[in-house]
Amino acid sequence: MRIYHSEMSKARRARTELDGGQLVPPWECPERVDMILAGLRKAGFTEMVEPAEHGLAPVLAVHDADYVDFLATCWDDWQALGREGEAIAWIWPTRTMPGRRIPSCVDGRLGHYALGADTSICGGTFEAAQASKDVALSALDHVLATGEPAFGLCRPPGHHAAVDQFGGYCFFNNAAVAAQRALDAGLSRVAILDVDFHHGNGTQQIFEQRSDVLFVSIHGDPMTCFPYFMGHADEVGEGEGAGYTVNYPLPEGTGAEVWFHVLEAAKERIRETGCELLIVSLGVDTFEDDPISAFKLSSDDFTEMGRRLGALGLPTLLLMEGGYAVEEIGVNVANVLSGMTSGVVERG
């Protein structure tokens, strides 16, 4: 399987995350990339490819132009004020203060465009986000050209990024950008299957009124798990998109038996809708020892995940989402790809 990766994806090195009332080093860090690459190489994946540059047009096909401009200028605007810390939102539009106008100052714009205070903006953020979507799009181009699966080692991740908001370490929604590009290339319907522990609120928001993208997510119950305010089972899409959003919220502590039962149900929904491409938002934070998640999959379970994904028989693009800096992250990613590769061989 071809692996797409860019060293520029490590340009973002944030120092601060608000967690439990303290500013701490973020769980999402550049070292994740090196740990995943090491695991892939140890497992025998040696075809590593630098992505081509794709510019901002594919991003603007799914994201608001003013939002993209904000991401491009935020760090410079923040530094121009003489601030020593990183750019973190501290006030938001709310139910009682709806924010019908976007402020001109950087603090107000941060509040408008941020989902929460968990994710800071620092030097290199915009550059890393651009590299991450280039990884996704180059991997997609390979899948569309060959029908073979490909893995995009995206960093920053993307599935929490909405049309005009960032958060959860995400700035550009890589899976959404790739799905739109595939549709623009002539496909009729694309499936995005999100297997990250945390619900892909951004992907849902981007596509919930459309029927050309089926969004299916298996995730921690938002009543107790981030991002809290989306991902319930009764969220099924709106208008033309009714029936094309499928959420499977599961309780904390969910293990492999239940998780794989739900995966089979998710696969059946994908089969029923006649999707021509599968994009997997691949979070491996369902791992039993992940520091900020609460499912109980083992490293061997990720091999089985790959086999079952491969058994769908669709051209498949896998894009990195969550899974944090624990020793097994590289093993778990490699196991998914190994399982999928064996599934492709068995079908052939």
Side-chain angles (χ1 to χ4, degrees), residues 127-196:
E127 292 77 9
Q130 290 200 84
S132 190
K133 59 83 180 167
D134 285 339
V135 165
L137 291 173
S138 294
L140 171 71
D141 288 346
H142 177 74
V143 175
L144 293 180
T146 67
E148 299 172 354
F151 173 60
L153 180 43
C154 295
R155 194 267 163 179
H159 71 150
H160 294 306
V163 168
D164 62 353
Q165 285 191 299
F166 72 93
Y169 312 130
C170 302
F171 302 93
F172 294 155
N173 194 309
N174 302 307
V177 170
Q180 185 61 55
R181 182 179 178 90
L183 295 168
D184 292 343
L187 298 191
S188 297
R189 179 169 292 137
V190 173
I192 299 177
L193 173 60
D194 194 324
V195 298
D196 192 282

Coordinates of all heavy atoms in Angstrom, one line a residue, residues 127-196:
E127 N 0.5 26.3 7.6 CA 1.4 25.5 6.7 C 1.2 24.0 6.9 O 1.1 23.2 5.9 CB 2.8 25.9 6.9 CG 3.2 27.3 6.5 CD 2.7 28.4 7.5 OE1 2.3 28.0 8.6 OE2 2.8 29.6 7.1
A128 N 1.1 23.6 8.2 CA 0.9 22.1 8.4 C -0.5 21.7 7.9 O -0.7 20.6 7.4 CB 1.0 21.9 9.9
A129 N -1.5 22.5 8.1 CA -2.9 22.2 7.6 C -2.9 22.0 6.1 O -3.5 21.2 5.5 CB -3.9 23.2 8.1
Q130 N -2.2 22.9 5.4 CA -2.1 22.8 4.0 C -1.4 21.5 3.5 O -1.8 20.8 2.6 CB -1.3 24.0 3.4 CG -2.1 25.3 3.5 CD -1.5 26.3 2.5 OE1 -1.9 26.3 1.3 NE2 -0.7 27.2 2.9
A131 N -0.3 21.2 4.2 CA 0.4 19.9 3.9 C -0.5 18.7 4.2 O -0.5 17.8 3.4 CB 1.7 19.8 4.8
S132 N -1.3 18.8 5.2 CA -2.1 17.7 5.6 C -3.2 17.4 4.5 O -3.4 16.3 4.1 CB -2.8 17.9 6.9 OG -3.5 16.8 7.4
K133 N -3.8 18.5 4.0 CA -4.8 18.3 2.9 C -4.1 17.9 1.6 O -4.7 17.1 0.8 CB -5.7 19.5 2.7 CG -5.1 20.8 2.4 CD -4.7 21.0 0.9 CE -4.1 22.4 0.7 NZ -3.5 22.5 -0.6
D134 N -2.9 18.3 1.4 CA -2.1 17.8 0.2 C -1.9 16.3 0.3 O -1.9 15.6 -0.7 CB -0.8 18.6 0.1 CG -1.0 20.0 -0.4 OD1 -2.0 20.3 -1.1 OD2 0.0 20.8 -0.2
V135 N -1.6 15.8 1.5 CA -1.4 14.4 1.7 C -2.7 13.7 1.4 O -2.7 12.7 0.7 CB -1.0 14.1 3.2 CG1 -1.2 12.7 3.6 CG2 0.5 14.5 3.4
A136 N -3.8 14.2 1.9 CA -5.1 13.5 1.6 C -5.4 13.5 0.1 O -5.9 12.5 -0.4 CB -6.2 14.2 2.4
L137 N -5.2 14.6 -0.5 CA -5.6 14.7 -2.0 C -4.7 13.9 -2.8 O -5.1 13.3 -3.8 CB -5.6 16.2 -2.4 CG -6.7 17.0 -1.8 CD1 -6.5 18.5 -2.1 CD2 -8.1 16.6 -2.2
S138 N -3.4 13.9 -2.5 CA -2.5 13.1 -3.3 C -2.8 11.6 -3.2 O -2.7 10.8 -4.1 CB -1.0 13.4 -2.9 OG -0.7 14.7 -3.3
A139 N -3.1 11.2 -1.9 CA -3.5 9.8 -1.7 C -4.8 9.5 -2.5 O -4.9 8.4 -3.1 CB -3.6 9.5 -0.2
L140 N -5.7 10.4 -2.4 CA -7.0 10.2 -3.2 C -6.7 10.0 -4.7 O -7.3 9.2 -5.3 CB -7.9 11.4 -3.0 CG -9.1 11.4 -3.9 CD1 -10.1 10.3 -3.4 CD2 -9.8 12.7 -3.8
D141 N -5.9 10.9 -5.2 CA -5.6 10.8 -6.7 C -5.0 9.4 -7.0 O -5.4 8.9 -8.1 CB -4.5 11.9 -7.0 CG -5.1 13.3 -7.0 OD1 -6.4 13.4 -7.0 OD2 -4.3 14.3 -7.0
H142 N -4.2 8.9 -6.2 CA -3.7 7.5 -6.4 C -4.8 6.5 -6.4 O -4.9 5.6 -7.3 CB -2.6 7.1 -5.4 CG -2.1 5.8 -5.5 ND1 -1.2 5.4 -6.5 CD2 -2.3 4.6 -4.8 CE1 -0.9 4.1 -6.4 NE2 -1.6 3.6 -5.4
V143 N -5.7 6.6 -5.4 CA -6.8 5.6 -5.4 C -7.7 5.7 -6.6 O -8.1 4.7 -7.2 CB -7.7 5.9 -4.1 CG1 -8.9 5.0 -4.1 CG2 -6.8 5.6 -2.9
L144 N -8.0 7.0 -7.0 CA -8.9 7.2 -8.2 C -8.2 6.7 -9.5 O -8.9 6.2 -10.4 CB -9.3 8.7 -8.3 CG -10.1 9.2 -7.2 CD1 -10.4 10.7 -7.5 CD2 -11.5 8.5 -7.1
A145 N -6.9 6.8 -9.5 CA -6.2 6.4 -10.8 C -6.0 4.9 -10.9 O -6.0 4.4 -12.0 CB -4.8 7.1 -10.8
T146 N -5.8 4.2 -9.7 CA -5.5 2.8 -9.8 C -6.5 1.9 -9.2 O -6.4 0.7 -9.4 CB -4.1 2.6 -9.0 OG1 -4.4 2.9 -7.6 CG2 -3.1 3.6 -9.5
G147 N -7.4 2.4 -8.3 CA -8.3 1.5 -7.6 C -7.7 0.9 -6.4 O -8.4 0.1 -5.7
E148 N -6.4 1.1 -6.2 CA -5.7 0.5 -5.1 C -5.9 1.4 -3.8 O -6.0 2.6 -3.9 CB -4.2 0.4 -5.4 CG -3.9 -0.5 -6.6 CD -2.4 -0.4 -6.9 OE1 -1.7 0.4 -6.3 OE2 -2.0 -1.2 -7.8
P149 N -5.9 0.7 -2.6 CA -6.0 1.5 -1.4 C -4.7 2.4 -1.2 O -3.7 2.0 -1.6 CB -6.2 0.5 -0.3 CG -5.6 -0.8 -0.9 CD -5.8 -0.7 -2.4
A150 N -4.9 3.4 -0.4 CA -3.8 4.3 -0.1 C -4.0 4.9 1.3 O -5.2 5.0 1.7 CB -3.5 5.4 -1.1
F151 N -2.9 5.2 2.0 CA -3.0 5.8 3.3 C -2.4 7.2 3.3 O -1.3 7.4 2.9 CB -2.3 4.9 4.3 CG -2.2 5.5 5.7 CD1 -3.3 5.9 6.4 CD2 -0.9 5.8 6.3 CE1 -3.2 6.4 7.7 CE2 -0.8 6.3 7.5 CZ -2.0 6.7 8.3
G152 N -3.2 8.2 3.8 CA -2.6 9.5 3.9 C -2.3 9.8 5.4 O -3.3 9.8 6.2
L153 N -1.1 10.0 5.7 CA -0.7 10.3 7.1 C -0.9 11.8 7.4 O 0.0 12.6 7.4 CB 0.8 9.9 7.3 CG 1.4 10.1 8.7 CD1 0.4 9.7 9.8 CD2 2.7 9.4 8.9
C154 N -2.2 12.1 7.5 CA -2.6 13.5 7.7 C -2.3 14.0 9.1 O -2.6 13.3 10.1 CB -4.1 13.7 7.5 SG -4.6 13.3 5.8
R155 N -1.6 15.1 9.2 CA -1.4 15.7 10.5 C -1.2 17.2 10.2 O -0.3 17.6 9.5 CB -0.2 15.1 11.2 CG 0.0 15.5 12.7 CD 0.9 16.7 12.8 NE 0.8 17.2 14.2 CZ 1.4 18.3 14.6 NH1 2.2 19.0 13.8 NH2 1.3 18.7 15.8
P156 N -2.1 18.1 10.8 CA -3.1 17.9 11.8 C -4.3 17.0 11.2 O -4.4 16.9 10.0 CB -3.7 19.3 12.0 CG -2.6 20.2 11.5 CD -2.0 19.5 10.4
P157 N -5.0 16.4 12.1 CA -6.2 15.6 11.7 C -7.3 16.6 11.2 O -7.0 17.8 11.1 CB -6.6 14.9 12.9 CG -6.1 15.8 14.0 CD -4.8 16.4 13.6
G158 N -8.5 16.1 10.8 CA -9.4 17.0 10.2 C -10.9 16.9 10.6 O -11.6 17.8 10.3
H159 N -11.3 15.7 11.2 CA -12.7 15.5 11.2 C -13.5 16.4 12.1 O -14.8 16.4 12.0 CB -13.0 14.0 11.5 CG -12.7 13.5 12.9 ND1 -13.4 12.5 13.5 CD2 -11.8 14.0 13.8 CE1 -12.9 12.3 14.7 NE2 -11.9 13.2 14.9
H160 N -12.9 17.1 13.0 CA -13.7 18.1 13.8 C -13.8 19.4 13.2 O -14.6 20.3 13.7 CB -13.0 18.3 15.2 CG -13.0 17.1 16.1 ND1 -14.1 16.4 16.4 CD2 -11.9 16.4 16.7 CE1 -13.8 15.3 17.2 NE2 -12.5 15.3 17.3
A161 N -13.1 19.7 12.1 CA -13.2 21.0 11.4 C -14.5 21.1 10.6 O -14.8 20.2 9.7 CB -12.0 21.2 10.5
A162 N -15.3 22.1 10.9 CA -16.6 22.3 10.2 C -16.4 23.3 9.1 O -15.2 23.7 8.7 CB -17.6 22.8 11.2
V163 N -17.5 23.7 8.5 CA -17.4 24.6 7.3 C -16.6 25.9 7.7 O -15.7 26.3 6.9 CB -18.8 25.0 6.8 CG1 -18.7 26.2 5.9 CG2 -19.5 23.9 6.2
D164 N -16.8 26.4 8.9 CA -16.1 27.6 9.3 C -15.7 27.6 10.7 O -15.7 28.7 11.4 CB -17.0 28.9 9.0 CG -18.3 28.9 9.8 OD1 -18.6 27.9 10.5 OD2 -19.0 29.9 9.7
Q165 N -15.3 26.4 11.3 CA -14.8 26.4 12.6 C -13.7 25.3 12.7 O -13.7 24.3 12.1 CB -15.9 26.1 13.6 CG -16.8 27.2 13.9 CD -17.8 27.0 15.1 OE1 -18.6 26.0 15.0 NE2 -17.6 27.8 16.1
F166 N -12.7 25.6 13.6 CA -11.6 24.7 13.9 C -11.8 24.2 15.4 O -12.5 24.9 16.2 CB -10.3 25.3 13.7 CG -9.9 26.4 14.7 CD1 -9.1 26.0 15.9 CD2 -10.2 27.7 14.6 CE1 -8.8 27.0 16.8 CE2 -9.9 28.7 15.5 CZ -9.2 28.3 16.6
G167 N -11.1 23.1 15.7 CA -11.2 22.6 17.1 C -10.8 21.2 17.1 O -10.7 20.5 16.0
G168 N -10.6 20.6 18.3 CA -10.2 19.2 18.4 C -9.0 18.9 17.6 O -8.8 17.8 17.0
Y169 N -8.0 19.9 17.5 CA -6.8 19.8 16.8 C -6.9 19.8 15.3 O -6.0 19.6 14.5 CB -6.0 18.4 17.1 CG -5.9 18.1 18.5 CD1 -6.3 16.8 19.0 CD2 -5.4 19.0 19.5 CE1 -6.1 16.4 20.3 CE2 -5.2 18.6 20.8 CZ -5.6 17.3 21.2 OH -5.5 17.0 22.5
C170 N -8.1 20.2 14.8 CA -8.4 20.1 13.3 C -8.7 21.5 12.8 O -9.4 22.3 13.4 CB -9.7 19.2 13.1 SG -9.5 17.5 13.7
F171 N -8.2 21.7 11.5 CA -8.3 23.0 10.9 C -8.9 22.9 9.5 O -9.9 23.6 9.2 CB -6.9 23.7 10.8 CG -6.3 23.8 12.1 CD1 -5.4 22.9 12.6 CD2 -6.6 24.9 12.9 CE1 -4.9 23.0 13.9 CE2 -6.1 25.1 14.2 CZ -5.2 24.1 14.7
F172 N -8.4 22.0 8.6 CA -9.1 21.7 7.4 C -9.6 20.3 7.5 O -8.9 19.4 8.0 CB -8.1 21.7 6.2 CG -7.6 23.1 5.8 CD1 -6.3 23.2 5.2 CD2 -8.3 24.3 6.1 CE1 -5.8 24.5 4.8 CE2 -7.8 25.5 5.8 CZ -6.6 25.6 5.2
N173 N -10.8 20.0 7.0 CA -11.4 18.7 7.1 C -10.9 17.9 5.9 O -11.5 17.9 4.9 CB -12.9 18.8 7.2 CG -13.6 17.5 7.6 OD1 -13.3 16.4 7.0 ND2 -14.4 17.5 8.6
N174 N -9.9 17.1 6.2 CA -9.2 16.4 5.1 C -10.1 15.4 4.4 O -10.1 15.3 3.2 CB -8.0 15.7 5.6 CG -7.0 16.6 6.3 OD1 -6.6 17.6 5.7 ND2 -6.6 16.3 7.5
A175 N -10.9 14.7 5.2 CA -11.8 13.7 4.6 C -12.9 14.4 3.7 O -13.2 13.9 2.6 CB -12.5 12.9 5.7
A176 N -13.4 15.5 4.2 CA -14.4 16.2 3.4 C -13.8 16.8 2.1 O -14.5 16.8 1.1 CB -15.0 17.3 4.3
V177 N -12.6 17.4 2.2 CA -12.0 17.9 1.1 C -11.8 16.8 0.0 O -12.0 17.0 -1.2 CB -10.6 18.6 1.5 CG1 -9.8 19.0 0.2 CG2 -10.9 19.8 2.3
A178 N -11.3 15.7 0.5 CA -11.1 14.6 -0.4 C -12.4 14.1 -1.0 O -12.5 13.8 -2.2 CB -10.4 13.4 0.3
A179 N -13.5 14.0 -0.2 CA -14.7 13.5 -0.8 C -15.3 14.4 -1.8 O -15.8 14.0 -2.9 CB -15.7 13.4 0.4
Q180 N -15.2 15.7 -1.6 CA -15.6 16.7 -2.6 C -14.8 16.6 -3.9 O -15.4 16.7 -5.0 CB -15.6 18.1 -2.0 CG -16.2 19.2 -3.0 CD -17.6 18.9 -3.2 OE1 -18.5 18.8 -2.3 NE2 -18.0 18.8 -4.5
R181 N -13.5 16.4 -3.8 CA -12.7 16.3 -4.9 C -13.1 15.0 -5.7 O -13.1 15.0 -7.0 CB -11.2 16.2 -4.6 CG -10.3 16.1 -5.8 CD -8.8 16.1 -5.3 NE -7.9 16.0 -6.4 CZ -7.4 17.0 -7.1 NH1 -7.7 18.2 -6.8 NH2 -6.5 16.8 -8.1
A182 N -13.4 13.9 -5.0 CA -13.8 12.7 -5.7 C -15.1 12.9 -6.5 O -15.3 12.4 -7.6 CB -13.9 11.6 -4.7
L183 N -16.0 13.6 -5.9 CA -17.3 13.9 -6.5 C -17.1 14.8 -7.8 O -17.7 14.6 -8.8 CB -18.3 14.6 -5.6 CG -18.7 13.8 -4.4 CD1 -19.5 14.6 -3.4 CD2 -19.7 12.6 -4.9
D184 N -16.2 15.8 -7.6 CA -15.9 16.7 -8.7 C -15.2 15.9 -9.8 O -15.2 16.4 -11.0 CB -15.0 17.8 -8.2 CG -15.7 18.8 -7.3 OD1 -16.9 18.8 -7.3 OD2 -15.0 19.6 -6.6
A185 N -14.5 14.8 -9.5 CA -13.9 14.0 -10.5 C -14.8 13.1 -11.2 O -14.5 12.4 -12.2 CB -12.8 13.2 -9.9
G186 N -16.1 13.1 -10.8 CA -17.1 12.3 -11.5 C -17.8 11.2 -10.8 O -18.8 10.6 -11.3
L187 N -17.4 10.9 -9.5 CA -18.1 9.9 -8.7 C -19.5 10.4 -8.3 O -19.7 11.7 -8.2 CB -17.3 9.5 -7.5 CG -16.0 8.9 -7.7 CD1 -15.4 8.4 -6.4 CD2 -16.0 7.8 -8.8
S188 N -20.5 9.5 -8.2 CA -21.8 9.9 -7.8 C -22.1 10.0 -6.3 O -22.8 10.8 -5.8 CB -22.8 9.0 -8.5 OG -22.7 9.0 -9.9
R189 N -21.5 9.0 -5.6 CA -21.7 9.0 -4.1 C -20.4 8.4 -3.4 O -19.9 7.4 -3.9 CB -22.9 8.2 -3.7 CG -23.1 8.2 -2.2 CD -24.5 7.6 -1.9 NE -25.6 8.5 -2.3 CZ -26.7 8.2 -2.9 NH1 -26.9 6.9 -3.2 NH2 -27.6 9.1 -3.3
V190 N -20.0 9.0 -2.4 CA -18.9 8.7 -1.6 C -19.3 8.4 -0.1 O -20.2 9.1 0.4 CB -17.8 9.8 -1.6 CG1 -16.7 9.5 -0.6 CG2 -17.3 10.1 -3.0
A191 N -18.7 7.4 0.5 CA -18.9 7.1 1.9 C -17.7 7.5 2.7 O -16.6 7.3 2.3 CB -19.1 5.6 2.1
I192 N -18.0 8.2 3.8 CA -17.0 8.5 4.8 C -17.3 7.7 6.0 O -18.4 8.0 6.6 CB -16.9 10.0 5.1 CG1 -16.5 10.8 3.8 CG2 -15.9 10.3 6.2 CD1 -16.5 12.3 4.1
L193 N -16.5 6.8 6.4 CA -16.7 6.0 7.6 C -15.7 6.5 8.6 O -14.5 6.4 8.4 CB -16.4 4.5 7.3 CG -16.4 3.6 8.5 CD1 -17.8 3.6 9.2 CD2 -16.1 2.2 8.1
D194 N -16.2 7.0 9.7 CA -15.3 7.6 10.8 C -15.3 6.6 11.9 O -16.3 6.4 12.6 CB -15.9 8.9 11.2 CG -15.0 9.8 12.1 OD1 -14.2 9.1 12.9 OD2 -15.0 11.0 12.0
V195 N -14.1 6.1 12.2 CA -13.9 5.1 13.2 C -13.1 5.6 14.4 O -12.6 4.9 15.3 CB -13.2 3.8 12.7 CG1 -14.1 3.1 11.6 CG2 -11.8 4.1 12.1
D196 N -12.9 6.9 14.4 CA -12.2 7.6 15.5 C -13.1 7.5 16.8 O -14.3 7.4 16.7 CB -12.0 9.1 15.2 CG -11.1 9.8 16.1 OD1 -11.5 10.2 17.2 OD2 -9.9 10.0 15.8

